[in-house]
Amino acid sequence: TTKYREQYQPSSYLIDRVDMLVELFESHAEIHSCLALRRNPLFTGAVEELRLDGEELELKSIAVNDQALPLSGYELQDAHLVIRQPAESFTLKTVVQIKPQDNTRLEGLYKSGSKFCTQCEAEGFRRITYFLDRPDVMSVYDVTIRADKNAYPALLGNGNPAGSGELPEGRHWARWHDPIPKPCYLFALVAGDFDLLEDSFTTMSGHPVALKIYVDKGKLDQCAHAMRSVKKAMQWDEEVYGREYDLDIYQIVAVSDFNMGAMENKGLNIFNTKYVLANEMTATDADYDGVEAVIAHEYFHNWTGNRVTCRDWFQLSLKEGLTVFRDQQFSMDMGSPTVKRLDDVRVIRTAQFSEDSGPMAHPIRPDSYVEMNNFYTVTVYNKGAEVIRMLHTLLGADGFRKGMDRYFERHDGQAVTCDDFVQAHADANQRDLEQFKRWYSQAGTPVINVSDHYDAANQRYTLTLKQHCPATPGQKEKQPFFIPFKIGLLDKAGNDLPLNWQSKDADDQAIYGREAVLPLQRAEQQFVFEHIGEKPLPSLLRDFSAPVKLRYDYSDEQLAFLLANDSSLFNRWDAAQQLVSRVMLNAAEQFRAGEEMRLPAIVTEALAAVLDNHQLDNALRARLLQLPDIGYLQELVEKIDIDALVAAQQFIKRRVAETLYQPLRDCFQRVRGATGLDGDSAGRRALANTCLGLLVDSTDAEAYQLAHAQLHEAKTMTDRFAALRALAHSAAPNRQQALDDFTHWYVDEALVMDKWFTVQATAPLASALQEVQKLEQHSAFDAKNPNKVRALWMAFSHANPAGFHRADGAGYQFIAERVARLNQSNPQLAARLVSAFNRWKRYDDDRQQLMLKELKALLTQSGLSPDVFEIVSKSVEA
Ligand code: ARG
Ligand code: ZN
């Protein structure tokens, strides 16, 4: 059944206090809960009954105000416990039995290896006990956990420790008190035998906080980076937002079986091991960055998500968009801001634009859903963050901080809406943000067409901006967005011209400077610049100041000029992407027409200049040299001719590599071998490995040797894995040897083996599908483990376009069959996997038919989960 945002109603009851006793056994768990319920003063309707949520719970006893409730007093339904004629306020005690050991969905209380852990967001708490499982019901929790002491020495809960002790029969107990009211999706509990890394942090007001990171036995040497990251995040949130931690203890637990990245449970974050464990020989620089960013993300949720939470799940972006924005800002401050920014933009331009133009397109604040878990999307998260970033751009850093202060002041302790958030900013800055709110209600990617005119006689330059947004499911017509459009104008020497611009709209301030944020608010708008002494070259949408598609007719020469000169380093990268994408798309056209594919000299000259430009930092040079992948190119065309795109991309890569072989080799030799964990060393590794990848693309035997040597001699996982990747994605004669050596070294390191699976699943080789089928049989593969599913099946379906879209449909069949299996054990993950078919309409007729056939077959499956059903049915209907 579909839920609608418009149908929100306050809860008829509130739960002020929760007292729980959780008894953990090998065969089952028993949950005793005592809820202090009272009528919600905000609820106006009559109340005949109270419906509590509960799934897969076996009710053992039930009492109201300590009196056993007779059968006539309640009704047990499939997913609810209905209390008849409830009093104004009362306590409800229930005892239920559950089976964490059999919980393969990894929602609610489950076992990961030998440990008990939980995942309650969005609606998992109802799988633990009967409750009002909605985020606007906030309670103070006291929780006691009991379990065998030997097997589960650590018993962890939310909040602060409140006692522990021994019990008969080798059991023990621990009690936790969380003083801060929270919605039940932030509940967590862990029991297990861990290694523990401890540290402490003193907050700006002098409050000491104990920091604890719990990991699998033997992994203590992979925790230092996570601990450093926690402390950096805590300090940054104090400095930039004035936000301090509010409990005596902050705990992180890493588990191997987890449906997503991590979870911000109050005071007890539970993480996928992927975002905690890292040392030089197990994690790449990208992994290090991922750990730092996700640790920061979950920590930042303590204020944006936990202290101020969501009224209902339609408001998810309230906490996720905002917290992603905050973690992105944090990462920009910790490392290279340009590189971080362009990595984030790449996600929008590939995954988010793709979602926006497909059957699952939704606004960052969706209007309806069947299964909430399907809306933890790149739109809600990453486009949501772009919307916050636009607000930051429009208000300025100080104005944004004022708005945030107002937001916390007004809403601390509340469950609120996206509108409340924008309103706090509007009020704090005395700005009208009504039009801006359309970013929350309208789906789709706006397209901005830019044309310009230079009037030499009057030294006047005019930019004309037109915006339109294509229709999305359920939204035909769109109103114009409020788009902050950042620009600069380059003179012949490549310097930014002084801008003298006055908008005709009275309420916009004049801008004098060398960079301007044009406030585009209407469908079509002109911006006139005076005293412009020469015809300028516009540098448009600097820093990707809005999540839009930009159309402006640059010549190849102009793009090469921007790449060489733009004061906006971000736009240099953007120019490089545009230039190379265009050349690749042209080559794809040539391939289709049966013509010879060509690589214009201007591209290799521009890239050679990047290799030679020692002014630029190495990490950025690496990004400038990375050629767009198929995922990026796909979003630039109407109809996707996958064969032509693959052929063109391979041709251009190889031709670039051959043409620039010597300079690439020189650069590689110059910068390779850095071993430090600092940003400069990582930048050197990025550049060296980009060069190495291209060298191997040339198919030169010497390049294979270089990669082979690096694989064996590497002193970091970054270098080792880059060498493996280069070889595994090539036709090198020693390819299989490289893969075998790698497994031999790392067969016991689960996260490293994930990389090994992925590198093969994404190989652009005709044999990819057979390899994936073989890898399923490998002893390290486990279809019950989400990291393994992502490493093999998701990597193949989402990141191997040539393999998944094989003309014979074998890739589709293979994945559909895996979806059907996962649908039983882990529907949430199955829904992610099946999304690979979402864009079926964009491909050629034959492939459309093949994909549609698999989708339709899935629809007829019995026992289809709402998760998979929602994705597939929306795909088929589109
Ligand atoms: N709140 C978590 C985070 O972004 C993610 C939870 C995802 N939940 C889900 N059901 N997919 O930090
Ligand atoms: Zn989050």
Side-chain angles (χ1 to χ4, degrees):
T1 56
T2 307
K3 302 194 183 56
Y4 297 92
R5 180 168 63 85
E6 292 292 336
Q7 288 174 0
Y8 172 81
Q9 287 247 331
S11 174
S12 59
Y13 273 78
L14 298 175
I15 302 173
D16 295 320
R17 297 192 67 105
V18 178
D19 200 325
M20 282 168 81
L21 167 63
V22 177
E23 293 262 22
L24 301 171
F25 302 102
E26 284 322 299
S27 56
H28 68 282
E30 210 169 77
I31 319 291
H32 302 241
S33 109
C34 175
L35 312 180
L37 287 139
R38 75 178 152 97
R39 282 286 296 272
N40 183 357
L42 294 180
F43 186 84
T44 43
V47 179
E48 310 269 283
E49 55 174 46
L50 169 64
R51 289 164 66 83
L52 297 161
D53 306 293
E55 287 176 16
E56 292 183 45
L57 307 175
E58 192 184 324
L59 184 64
K60 293 287 183 189
S61 74
I62 177 166
V64 166
N65 293 333
D66 286 315
Q67 300 285 313
L69 194 61
L71 277 171
S72 60
Y74 68 97
E75 185 186 340
L76 266 186
Q77 298 173 352
D78 195 23
H80 294 101
L81 165 63
V82 180
I83 310 283
R84 300 204 173 108
Q85 303 296 336
E88 278 284 317
S89 77
F90 62 99
T91 60
L92 176 69
K93 287 190 175 165
T94 60
V95 177
V96 301
Q97 199 184 89
I98 56 177
K99 297 242 171 204
Q101 295 79 357
D102 300 342
N103 182 352
T104 58
R105 307 164 61 102
L106 314 185
E107 278 183 284
L109 178 61
Y110 66 93
K111 272 200 120 174
S112 174
S114 54
K115 299 144 189 93
F116 286 95
C117 65
T118 55
Q119 171 56 36
C120 293
E121 188 180 3
E123 298 178 330
F125 193 68
R126 63 186 62 184
R127 297 167 55 80
I128 296 176
T129 192
Y130 286 107
F131 207 75
L132 294 171
D133 190 356
R134 44 186 292 167
D136 58 351
V137 171
M138 300 170 80
S139 325
V140 171
Y141 285 71
D142 287 279
V143 177
T144 302
I145 309 164
R146 294 185 188 162
D148 183 84
K149 187 170 181 179
N150 255 326
Y152 310 99
L155 304 176
L156 313 177
N158 307 104
N160 296 319
S164 62
E166 308 280 320
L167 291 166
E169 292 170 31
R171 292 173 70 79
H172 69 149
W173 64 275
R175 188 162 172 81
W176 294 82
H177 172 67
D178 185 355
I180 308 195
K182 65 167 178 290
C184 66
Y185 81 87
L186 292 173
F187 170 90
L189 167 166
V190 171
D193 190 5
F194 298 96
D195 272 349
L196 169 61
L197 179 65
E198 294 189 86
D199 207 324
S200 71
F201 180 85
T202 304
T203 69
M204 59 187 179
S205 68
H207 189 81
V209 180
L211 306 178
K212 307 200 178 201
I213 300 183
Y214 299 84
V215 294
D216 279 2
K217 290 262 172 206
K219 300 287 180 191
L220 221 41
D221 62 339
Q222 298 184 35
C223 297
H225 179 63
M227 187 60 91
R228 267 196 308 272
S229 303
V230 176
K231 291 197 276 183
K232 282 193 201 171
M234 292 178 91
Q235 190 177 342
W236 187 90
D237 213 15
E238 292 185 350
E239 286 170 7
V240 179
Y241 285 94
R243 295 293 123 197
E244 221 177 321
Y245 190 63
D246 54 0
L247 294 170
D248 304 334
I249 174 169
Y250 186 62
Q251 315 186 81
I252 289 176
V253 180
V255 299
S256 328
D257 302 276
F258 206 67
N259 272 343
M260 51 264 154
M263 181 62 211
E264 69 267 22
N265 319 299
K266 185 74 189 192
L268 177 57
N269 293 179
I270 298 181
F271 273 63
N272 189 321
T273 46
K274 178 173 168 60
Y275 293 109
V276 173
L277 301 180
N279 71 30
E280 290 92 318
M281 277 332 281
T282 60
T284 62
D285 293 327
D287 295 327
Y288 270 81
D289 290 347
V291 168
E292 184 181 84
V294 176
I295 294 242
H297 179 98
E298 305 311 331
Y299 176 73
F300 297 156
H301 266 316
N302 192 52
W303 276 96
T304 51
N306 301 5
R307 295 288 296 235
V308 185
T309 194
C310 300
R311 188 192 71 172
D312 55 74
W313 289 120
F314 297 102
Q315 318 296 330
L316 180 61
S317 203
L318 173 82
K319 73 176 177 80
E320 294 304 346
L322 178 55
T323 304
V324 172
F325 171 69
R326 276 152 50 72
D327 84 55
Q328 292 177 346
Q329 266 189 314
F330 166 78
S331 296
M332 286 174 79
D333 284 354
M334 295 300 118
S336 156
T338 305
V339 170
K340 173 62 181 161
R341 182 64 187 140
L342 62 89
D343 284 348
D344 292 337
V345 169
R346 204 157 38 181
V347 171
I348 296 285
R349 285 192 179 148
T350 53
Q352 203 282 322
F353 282 1
S354 157
E355 188 161 89
D356 248 355
S357 59
M360 273 292 288
H362 53 277
I364 63 169
R365 182 190 57 207
D367 291 317
S368 67
Y369 62 78
V370 173
E371 171 52 61
M372 186 54 213
N373 285 330
N374 285 335
F375 285 82
Y376 286 75
T377 60
V378 65
T379 297
V380 168
Y381 274 65
N382 301 61
K383 184 178 179 178
E386 293 299 317
V387 171
I388 306 292
R389 181 178 303 275
M390 286 190 284
L391 201 56
H392 185 274
T393 303
L394 288 168
L395 301 176
D398 293 344
F400 186 77
R401 171 66 194 265
K402 263 202 263 172
M404 289 302 293
D405 289 350
R406 183 72 62 96
Y407 173 66
F408 292 126
E409 218 172 271
R410 237 183 226 179
H411 298 301
D412 187 11
Q414 299 176 4
V416 304
T417 64
C418 297
D419 273 333
D420 293 327
F421 176 82
V422 179
Q423 203 52 49
H425 284 272
D427 294 347
N429 291 280
Q430 283 144 11
R431 286 277 292 253
D432 177 359
L433 295 172
E434 284 312 305
Q435 188 189 2
F436 186 79
K437 288 181 182 171
R438 286 182 191 153
W439 284 108
Y440 286 88
S441 57
Q442 298 189 138
T445 310
V447 180
I448 305 194
N449 280 288
V450 180
S451 56
D452 59 347
H453 174 71
Y454 181 61
D455 173 355
N458 292 300
Q459 304 211 326
R460 179 178 294 149
Y461 180 69
T462 306
L463 274 175
T464 304
L465 272 47
K466 292 186 198 173
Q467 58 162 309
H468 78 275
C469 182
T472 50
Q475 286 188 343
K476 268 217 161 91
E477 301 292 331
K478 317 268 181 177
Q479 302 300 121
F481 289 92
F482 189 165
I483 294 171
F485 194 85
K486 195 189 280 188
I487 64 145
L489 301 178
L490 273 63
D491 68 14
K492 297 244 155 19
N495 299 312
D496 282 332
L497 287 160
L499 302 178
N500 178 352
W501 165 71
Q502 174 93 56
S503 165
K504 289 182 197 68
D505 299 309
D507 58 338
D508 294 319
Q509 60 286 52
I511 289 181
Y512 305 99
R514 288 170 188 270
E515 190 166 79
V517 177
L518 308 178
L520 172 59
Q521 289 180 268
R522 298 194 293 276
E524 174 168 351
Q525 216 165 320
Q526 285 197 337
F527 298 91
V528 179
F529 301 85
E530 306 286 354
H531 314 298
I532 302 292
E534 56 176 285
K535 182 173 176 17
L537 177 61
S539 165
L540 301 168
L541 198 68
R542 280 187 171 171
D543 302 326
F544 195 67
S545 62
V548 300
K549 292 185 178 174
L550 176 67
R551 305 254 184 274
Y552 176 80
D553 268 325
Y554 285 115
S555 66
D556 289 358
E557 289 69 24
Q558 288 174 324
L559 289 173
F561 187 83
L562 288 170
L563 166 53
N565 296 289
D566 202 326
S567 70
S568 161
L569 296 178
F570 177 87
N571 270 27
R572 288 197 194 197
W573 170 77
D574 204 22
Q577 295 290 297
Q578 284 186 57
L579 181 60
V580 182
S581 305
R582 176 184 300 178
V583 163
M584 283 184 177
L585 294 179
N586 287 343
E589 274 311 311
Q590 290 152 6
F591 178 87
R592 281 167 67 84
E595 294 165 14
E596 195 184 332
M597 294 189 275
R598 286 181 306 273
L599 170 63
I602 189 164
V603 174
T604 39
E605 284 158 13
L607 295 176
V610 169
L611 269 173
D612 244 4
N613 187 341
H614 301 278
Q615 241 86 315
L616 295 176
D617 82 53
N618 291 328
L620 179 60
R621 278 203 283 165
R623 294 300 195 282
L624 290 169
L625 291 166
Q626 283 161 16
L627 312 181
D629 57 22
I630 306 280
Y632 199 93
L633 298 174
Q634 278 188 162
E635 291 315 305
L636 303 174
V637 296
E638 279 301 314
K639 265 270 184 277
I640 301 169
D641 182 337
I642 197 74
D643 303 312
L645 287 182
V646 169
Q649 196 223 18
Q650 286 192 350
F651 166 80
I652 298 290
K653 264 212 269 190
R654 177 159 178 187
R655 190 50 67 81
V656 165
E658 287 166 354
T659 315
L660 298 180
Y661 193 89
Q662 268 314 318
L664 284 166
R665 194 176 180 286
D666 293 345
C667 182
F668 172 72
Q669 300 288 11
R670 211 166 39 243
V671 297
R672 64 192 276 222
T675 55
L677 279 178
D678 55 295
D680 284 344
S681 301
R684 276 180 56 189
R685 286 191 287 272
L687 181 57
N689 289 322
T690 300
C691 292
L692 181 64
L694 279 164
L695 289 170
V696 168
D697 284 333
S698 76
T699 73
D700 191 290
E702 182 209 44
Y704 294 153
Q705 274 320 309
L706 289 173
H708 183 82
Q710 176 164 317
L711 178 72
H712 282 263
E713 290 152 20
K715 297 199 170 52
T716 60
M717 178 50 78
T718 303
D719 281 351
R720 178 157 281 170
F721 186 67
L724 179 73
R725 186 179 187 284
L727 291 171
H729 286 201
S730 79
N734 53 356
R735 174 178 187 274
Q736 193 54 49
Q737 187 59 49
L739 288 163
D740 293 346
D741 290 345
F742 196 88
T743 18
H744 182 70
W745 298 325
Y746 296 109
V747 73
D748 294 326
E749 285 288 345
L751 293 172
V752 182
M753 286 304 285
D754 291 346
K755 297 176 184 304
W756 180 80
F757 282 116
T758 296
V759 84
Q760 296 172 82
T762 55
L765 306 173
S767 57
L769 178 60
Q770 285 95 291
E771 291 204 16
V772 171
Q773 284 166 327
K774 209 170 88 205
L775 288 167
E776 272 185 347
Q777 310 305 321
H778 193 280
S779 60
F781 185 76
D782 173 5
K784 291 268 179 310
N785 176 257
N787 284 357
K788 291 289 177 280
V789 168
R790 278 184 283 261
L792 194 62
W793 296 345
M794 292 274 259
F796 177 73
S797 58
H798 285 68
N800 191 340
F804 180 60
H805 295 288
R806 272 167 61 130
D808 63 1
Y812 305 148
Q813 260 173 30
F814 173 79
I815 291 300
E817 147 69 21
R818 274 42 188 185
V819 170
R821 277 197 233 166
L822 268 184
N823 174 64
Q824 310 288 333
S825 56
N826 188 335
Q828 202 175 319
L829 202 56
R832 300 267 159 174
L833 187 61
V834 81
S835 307
F837 292 98
N838 278 1
R839 315 304 314 289
W840 63 276
K841 277 209 168 155
R842 304 276 312 280
Y843 296 85
D844 56 80
D845 293 346
D846 291 345
R847 286 185 171 88
Q848 283 191 22
Q849 290 317 313
L850 290 165
M851 281 190 256
L852 194 55
K853 195 178 113 208
E854 301 300 340
L855 287 170
K856 287 190 168 157
L858 279 170
L859 271 187
T860 66
Q861 276 257 318
S862 64
L864 202 61
S865 59
D867 311 60
V868 174
F869 171 77
E870 178 170 37
I871 306 282
V872 176
S873 60
K874 285 180 178 171
S875 259
V876 170
E877 280 157 27

